[in-house]
């Protein structure tokens, strides 16, 4: 049956700025999708990422190229073949989940055969900065249960020590965003272990992560840039203890669920992650929370303002329950 597809680039200012090893930004640029069928509306959102060769304009063009296919009744199964994993497919896939749930008078969680937790503990991200800047940010967030510390440039040992001193009782995970060198990794991992870091995310460039086989993992290591979708998942075994599942990488909830199941079968733990984006991106990812050991769905907390009817955050917890924004 005919589905009317429309999409647009939207911008959401970030509260302050967001800095990682690859640079800083002051706004989240997303592509929002709207699908209409028989009076029902399904919505989705994605974040094009330059690291993966995506731009907002190219993503919007890839989505709009499928207007005729959706007018002819494209299904989620059809979509998996029409586009590769990535941002464009994510927005469309999530919008189809939302549309299907609304047409069926149920929730996306029910369609997936899942019951999301009523309360979800999420990490809160501390941007890369000087040791003093990061310590100040960590002190302000020390009441939260889990902080994600952005590292990946010279001086990381001092940064991490300053953060741990400022938030002595808070659980920590570290994300180096491919910024460390194999020769420095054993020492940096030992420092992480000393600072009681639970997980180190993507310490080495994706093309250099073969070195992870040769070192002692004093802290569990999580793949992010090294894993996108189902293809290549088996190659991570022996290099990583965990993977970061992001819907913008998997190309939507459909493949993300398959990635999580396959990762579990391979003995890999799961982190559910996100780009800096609104609750329209977080709500589909929230369905993976029950399968994840670490949850990093703090995107809306980094914005000056979220979408209406967004998720409710309180002291590092995401409240459960239905939302009219996505998924029912």
């Amino acid at each position: 049956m005919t589905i009317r597809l429309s999409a647009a680039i939207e911008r959401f200012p970030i509260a302050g700025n967001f800095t990682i090893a690859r640079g800083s930004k002051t706004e989240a640029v997303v592509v929002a999708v709207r699908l209409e069928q028989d009076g029902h509306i399904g919505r989705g959102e994605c974040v094009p990422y330059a690291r993966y060769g995506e731009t907002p304009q190219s993503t919007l063009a890839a989505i709009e190229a499928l207007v005729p296919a959706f007018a002819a009744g494209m299904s989620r199964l059809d979509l998996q073949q029409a586009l590769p994993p990535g941002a464009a497919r994510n927005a469309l896939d999530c919008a189809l989940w939302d549309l299907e749930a609304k047409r069926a008078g149920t929730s996306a969680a029910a369609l997936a055969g899942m019951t999301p937790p009523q309360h979800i503990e999420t990490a809160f991200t501390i941007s890369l900065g000087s040791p003093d800047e990061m310590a100040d940010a960590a002190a302000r967030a020390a009441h939260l249960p889990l902080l994600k510390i952005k590292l990946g440039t010279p001086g990381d040992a001092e940064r991490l020590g300053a953060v741990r001193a400022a938030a002595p009782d808070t659980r920590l995970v570290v994300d180096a965003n491919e910024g460390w060198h194999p020769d420095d990794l054993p020492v940096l991992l030992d420092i992480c272990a000393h600072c009681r870091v639970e997980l180190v995310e993507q310490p080495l460039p994706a093309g250099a992560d073969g070195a992870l086989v040769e070192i002692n993992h004093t802290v569990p290591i999580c793949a992010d840039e090294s894993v996108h979708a189902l293809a290549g998942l088996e190659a991570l075994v022996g290099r990583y203890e965990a993977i970061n599942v992001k819907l913008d990488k998997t190309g939507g909830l459909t493949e993300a669920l398959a990635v999580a199941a396959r990762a579990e079968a391979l003995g890999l733990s799961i982190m559910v992650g996100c780009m800096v984006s609104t609750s329209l991106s977080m709500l589909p990812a929230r369905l993976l929370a029950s399968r994840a050991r670490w949850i990093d769905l703090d995107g809306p907390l980094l914005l000056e303002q979220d979408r209406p009817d967004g998720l409710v955050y309180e002291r590092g917890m995401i409240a459960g329950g239905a939302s009219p924004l996505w998924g029912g």
Side-chain angles (χ1 to χ4, degrees), residues 181-199:
H181 190 277
D183 292 344
D184 301 323
L185 189 55
V187 170
L188 288 168
L189 286 178
D190 284 346
I191 293 169
C192 287
H194 177 74
C195 290
R196 307 190 316 278
V197 170
E198 294 184 10
L199 187 73

Side-chain angles (χ1 to χ4, degrees), residues 24-210:
S24 299
K25 60 182 180 180
T26 58
E27 64 178 2
V29 183
V30 308
V31 179
V33 163
R34 177 185 173 106
L35 301 178
E36 298 182 47
Q37 185 181 42
D38 297 335
H40 300 282
I41 297 173
R43 304 179 69 193
E45 177 184 284
C46 68
V47 182
Y49 198 33
R51 168 67 177 80
Y52 304 139
E54 300 170 332
T55 68
Q57 294 74 22
S58 67
T59 300
L60 180 63
I63 290 169
E64 290 181 333
L66 293 180
V67 167
F70 275 87
M74 174 172 270
S75 68
R76 272 197 298 115
L77 181 60
D78 297 331
L79 177 64
Q80 311 311 308
Q81 307 304 315
L83 287 177
R89 196 177 80 184
N90 176 34
L92 290 166
D93 182 76
C94 291
L96 281 168
W97 275 95
D98 190 28
L99 181 63
E100 290 171 29
K102 288 170 179 172
R103 283 179 53 82
T106 186
S107 68
L111 287 179
M114 307 177 73
T115 303
Q118 283 302 300
H119 292 87
I120 298 168
E121 182 181 275
T122 182
F124 178 74
T125 302
I126 304 297
S127 285
L128 182 65
S130 71
D132 287 345
E133 290 170 337
M134 296 183 71
D136 288 345
R140 292 193 299 270
H143 63 288
L144 301 175
L146 178 64
L147 299 181
K148 181 173 182 175
I149 311 304
K150 289 290 189 178
L151 299 175
T153 60
D156 280 346
E158 292 77 12
R159 293 185 181 96
L160 187 55
V163 165
R164 176 45 86 196
D169 300 319
T170 305
R171 295 168 54 217
L172 300 181
V173 296
V174 158
D175 185 3
N177 283 113
E178 303 181 278
W180 291 350
H181 190 277
D183 292 344
D184 301 323
L185 189 55
V187 170
L188 288 168
L189 286 178
D190 284 346
I191 293 169
C192 287
H194 177 74
C195 290
R196 307 190 316 278
V197 170
E198 294 184 10
L199 187 73
V200 174
E201 190 177 345
Q202 198 67 45
L204 303 180
D209 61 3

Side-chain angles (χ1 to χ4, degrees), residues 219-263:
V219 177
I221 300 177
C222 177
D224 183 4
E225 286 85 352
S226 287
V227 59
H228 291 250
L230 280 168
L233 201 54
E234 284 77 6
L236 303 179
V237 176
R239 299 182 181 187
Y240 295 96
E241 285 75 40
I243 66 167
N244 189 338
V245 180
K246 293 179 180 174
L247 272 60
D248 277 308
K249 293 189 302 177
T250 65
L253 179 61
T254 300
E255 186 146 348
L257 292 169
V259 167
R262 182 60 182 150

